[in-house]
Amino acid sequence: MNHFLRKFSNKTSLIRVVALASAGSGLLYSTTTPDSKTSFSVSTPPPLWNSETWPWRTLEEKFPLPALISLNPTQYGVLQVSFSRPDAVPPPDMGKEASGDLGGSPKHSCNCLGRDTIANAAAKVGPAVVNLSVPQGFHGMTVGKSIGSGTIIDDDGTILTCAHVVVDFQGLRSSSKGKVEVTLQDGRTFEGTVVNADLHSDIAILKIISKTPLPTAKLGCSSKLRPGDWVVAMGCPLTLQNTITAGIVSCVDRKSSDLGLGGTRREYLQTDCAINQGNSGGPLVNVDGEVIGVNIMKVLGADGLNFAVPIDSVTKIIEHFKRNGRVVRPWLGLKMIDLNDMIVAQLKERNAAFPDVSKGILIPMVSPGSPADRAGFHPGDVVVEFGGRPVESIKEVIDIMGDKIGKPFKAVVRRANNSSVTLTVIPEEANPDM
């Protein structure tokens, strides 16, 4: 640096360069060529070039650019100082990497999390989030209230919530007679009526009647979610209305069996958003301000283990409500496991007679007296076709059956030594208590 000061004959210009680099958190570079000529370059970040960052309007008013870029070797000896401005527009490749659009990966509706992303998402849904209160009675005496949250999903007053918030599970709500007190974010209160409830999925629908317009929330698509996506949980924990918490999706297909829950197979969204008593029934929202789940439970004694019913599943439940007045679930009496290459390889190591399949659904158990038992299913069968379509997952079988009860379905199964059998099974309606 001393050498630089000795060679720089115009000390005022030098001070300007150093001051500019310091004020803008810039970097001063030096380069020495083979002929012993040295050049210095100052690089500053883009905010330095924004006129709003400085008390003067433009850089030229404080640091005249000619004094910075016209320093040539003939006037100032062997020194040359140049000023460089980082490009404010990222190169095309950088934009692609930042958006996560690499090599055909799934495109997302939002590629970044900005300062207002969470607030904007909450603002879109917030007015449609309601507080629910249901009196709890015992032998005609009111002993407390059940509290929860819900979301207005239609301007006709349809509210989506949890069944355990509004339905009597323990014989303590006879005094409510299906009525629920509903409080909106703007302070309006209504008496809501329970229209439908499905205890197995823990989803319920309420209805309120309003002479004035009601705010509504838009339903999104939970199948587009990926682990790591940002989400917002909204509701009224401990009756504290207008509460929001943010977190990420931890798992997009947490199975009910993983949580020790019996009955028909179900899948949940797992998040680390903070939820508490009163959040049940409230919406889980993506960064686009769309409802992608209904918060229903958390693991007690653990932090960041919370679960929501995916909105895609909720939409199907609502369709069942409209079509049948209840959720109709076909039952086959099979325990099923999705196969993949690794599981197949392990099974073939244990039993060389295991069928040569790469995909399919393994049947490890058949319930005695069930429709599947009567159809001739055996433990160890691998289902490769169902209803005339190739299948690779349990979800595909469930989707093919839909709500069809009493309709025969043909299933192609592979057995030991690659034998193939076609069976006909007639689903029955599942017992809601199963």
Side-chain angles (χ1 to χ4, degrees), residues 233-271:
M234 306 182 67
C236 311
L238 306 177
T239 69
L240 300 174
Q241 287 187 260
N242 313 330
T243 298
I244 71 169
T245 58
I248 62 169
V249 176
S250 305
C251 180
V252 295
D253 56 356
R254 180 64 65 202
K255 295 175 179 57
S256 53
S257 57
D258 295 341
L259 304 175
L261 302 176
T264 306
R265 181 179 185 269
R266 305 177 297 286
E267 291 185 351
Y268 300 103
L269 300 175
Q270 179 181 329
T271 77

Side-chain angles (χ1 to χ4, degrees), residues 60 63-71:
E60 286 85 349
F63 297 102
L65 288 183
L68 297 176
I69 62 176
S70 298
L71 306 180

Side-chain angles (χ1 to χ4, degrees), residues 298-357:
K298 65 177 293 185
V299 176
L300 295 177
D303 294 328
L305 290 178
N306 309 304
F307 303 91
V309 180
I311 202 63
D312 291 355
S313 299
V314 173
T315 301
K316 293 179 182 178
I317 291 170
I318 294 175
E319 291 174 356
H320 278 265
F321 286 157
K322 292 179 179 179
R323 186 165 55 245
N324 307 310
R326 70 187 194 284
V327 178
V328 177
R329 293 184 175 87
W331 177 64
L332 298 177
L334 294 173
K335 182 175 182 180
M336 298 183 279
I337 299 174
D338 294 342
L339 290 178
N340 57 41
D341 293 336
M342 301 304 294
I343 295 177
V344 170
Q346 188 177 52
L347 291 172
K348 287 188 76 67
E349 285 181 3
R350 296 176 180 176
N351 183 3
F354 189 82
D356 293 330
V357 296

Side-chain angles (χ1 to χ4, degrees), residues 14-194:
L14 172 61
I15 292 172
R16 289 177 179 173
V17 173
V18 176
L20 182 58
S22 301
S25 298
L27 295 175
L28 185 64
Y29 301 93
S30 69
T31 304
T32 302
T33 62
D35 56 355
S36 300
K37 291 184 178 181
T38 303
S39 63
F40 287 81
S41 301
V42 178
S43 177
T44 61
L48 185 60
W49 292 83
N50 186 349
S51 59
E52 297 177 359
T53 309
W54 296 81
W56 49 86
R57 186 179 178 189
T58 63
L59 287 173
E60 286 85 349
E61 296 177 15
K62 187 67 177 177
F63 297 102
L65 288 183
L68 297 176
I69 62 176
S70 298
L71 306 180
N72 55 67
T74 57
Q75 184 178 357
Y76 298 106
V78 296
L79 292 175
Q80 180 180 2
V81 176
S82 62
F83 189 87
S84 64
R85 171 187 176 182
D87 193 353
V89 181
D93 291 342
M94 183 180 296
K96 182 177 290 188
E97 291 177 7
S99 66
D101 187 14
L102 296 174
S105 61
K107 292 183 178 180
H108 250 356
S109 55
C110 183
N111 294 322
C112 58
L113 185 69
R115 175 179 179 180
D116 299 323
T117 302
I118 299 297
N120 291 341
K124 289 181 181 180
V125 181
V129 180
V130 300
N131 175 232
L132 306 178
S133 178
V134 185
Q136 286 185 329
F138 185 72
H139 294 300
M141 296 179 5
T142 299
V143 296
K145 290 184 177 182
S146 171
I147 59 173
S149 306
T151 310
I152 304 175
I153 58 174
D154 197 304
D155 54 13
D156 66 356
T158 300
I159 297 174
L160 175 63
T161 186
C162 276
H164 76 257
V165 173
V166 297
V167 176
D168 185 3
F169 276 87
Q170 301 174 340
L172 296 176
R173 300 181 196 165
S174 57
S175 62
S176 69
K177 297 181 180 180
K179 301 299 181 181
V180 181
E181 181 181 335
V182 180
T183 305
L184 272 64
Q185 192 181 77
D186 57 20
R188 287 183 288 171
T189 60
F190 299 89
E191 183 179 74
T193 303
V194 179

